[in-house]
Amino acid sequence: MLSDLDEAALWEYRSGYEEPDDFDAFWKSTLDTARVAGRDFSLTPVRTELRTVDVYDMEFAGYGGHPVRAWLRLPHERAEALPAVVQFHGYGSGRGGPYDDLLWASAGYAHLLVDARGQGAAHAAGGATDDPVGSGPAYPGFLTRGIEDKETYYYRRVFTDAVRAVDAVRSLGMVDPARVAVGGGSQGGGIALAVAGLVPDLAAAYFQAPFLTDVRRALRVTGTAPYAELTGYLGARRRSAEAVLTTLSYFDGVGFARRASAPAYFSTGLMDDICPPSTAFGAYHAYAGPKRIRTWEFNGHEAGGSEDVAGVLAAFRTALTPPVPTPGNEER
């Protein structure tokens, strides 16, 4: 059933999100510190039975210099530096196994699928990255860990890891650093939206049913997980609402959308009761770069599924293909 605004109202809706005055200063300091803390990465070839895709186990330094794991998949036949797609996974999941997610490499891209630290024990896609930072009291899940202070919030580490993933993939000799895109669905879409706002020169991005976006709106129109973790936490810690909502203002996708410039593809299902479509539209309307959004009238959190993927592949083919020099205008 329709659980949010109808499509006509979604086009008129604008988020009431208010960003903190020190939003940019907070994230600049966070990323500057992370880049000083660790610069190393490693690539370990993975032996598989695949003939068209090469797989590497990649480890790079994320927040605090902590090791973060990812699968790097490359087309086996490659003669020049490749465009890259850095992908982030859904809530509670992980990077999975070396044979998973072969789509992007099969389409000719370097593909980095990045773990969200501490996750990977749900949805049959295991993770391999610890979170060495603890937290105070939290509702079961990840959404409320360290949430009463922006300095200790779990997603400060996750978003920083994600930016460092882009830094790492750009340092690879087989990747063209000018042609890097980010994307994901649900939590992965929210992470990708944060990266799009924090990395100014991405070539493209996609956000399918993005999570952690227009959060105050989400808390009022959905009672399902993972947002239910927030209401459960505040139901037990009644005096913490102001601190929690202040923290979340530094991590809301609408704030990152205002700073993003890469051409972007959004999608949302109008029956999504997990990441309500109005929250996706809140980010979409705020997004500063070129953008399009596709709605799916009878779909929920899966949005357009494989049809979204087909649309993104077509969009990325245009965004990530270098222009062909015209006669007389070649670089000298």
Side-chain angles (χ1 to χ4, degrees), residues 135-159:
S135 75
Y139 193 90
F142 307 94
L143 191 54
T144 63
R145 295 185 180 182
I147 199 170
E148 296 199 21
D149 190 325
K150 66 183 184 296
E151 302 288 338
T152 59
Y153 189 38
Y154 170 75
Y155 279 97
R156 184 189 189 201
R157 304 190 290 280
V158 171
F159 289 176

Side-chain angles (χ1 to χ4, degrees), residues 126-203:
T129 302
D130 295 334
D131 184 8
V133 180
S135 75
Y139 193 90
F142 307 94
L143 191 54
T144 63
R145 295 185 180 182
I147 199 170
E148 296 199 21
D149 190 325
K150 66 183 184 296
E151 302 288 338
T152 59
Y153 189 38
Y154 170 75
Y155 279 97
R156 184 189 189 201
R157 304 190 290 280
V158 171
F159 289 176
T160 301
D161 293 345
V163 170
R164 297 291 290 130
V166 173
D167 292 345
V169 83
R170 280 180 158 169
S171 69
L172 300 174
M174 70 283 284
V175 168
D176 179 351
R179 292 187 291 152
V180 175
V182 296
S186 193
Q187 174 186 253
I191 296 171
L193 186 52
V195 176
L198 293 170
V199 178
D201 54 352
L202 294 171

Side-chain angles (χ1 to χ4, degrees), residues 44-109:
T44 303
V46 178
R47 183 179 177 83
T48 74
E49 298 301 322
L50 301 172
R51 297 186 180 183
T52 60
V53 174
D54 296 334
V55 183
Y56 295 85
D57 188 350
M58 185 170 185
E59 183 176 287
F60 62 90
Y63 178 91
H66 304 152
V68 179
R69 302 281 290 279
W71 293 123
L72 176 68
R73 298 180 176 91
L74 305 169
H76 181 69
E77 299 293 337
R78 51 187 188 273
E80 57 187 20
L82 298 168
V85 175
V86 182
Q87 183 181 3
F88 309 101
H89 61 72
Y91 193 79
S93 189
R95 65 175 186 165
Y99 288 99
D100 298 335
D101 297 292
L102 302 176
L103 172 76
W104 290 102
S106 299
Y109 299 96

Side-chain angles (χ1 to χ4, degrees), residues 19-30 197-198 250 255 259:
E19 65 185 53
D21 292 339
D22 61 341
F23 184 100
D24 292 315
F26 169 73
W27 280 108
K28 182 180 186 305
S29 174
T30 296
L198 293 170
Y250 291 87
R259 293 158 170 80

Side-chain angles (χ1 to χ4, degrees), residues 217-249:
R217 168 74 182 175
L219 291 178
R220 283 158 175 75
V221 296
T222 183
T224 59
Y227 283 117
E229 295 176 19
L230 284 173
T231 54
Y233 181 87
L234 292 175
R237 298 176 68 85
R238 299 175 180 86
R239 294 181 175 85
S240 295
E242 182 177 355
V244 165
L245 293 172
T246 296
T247 293
L248 288 169
S249 68

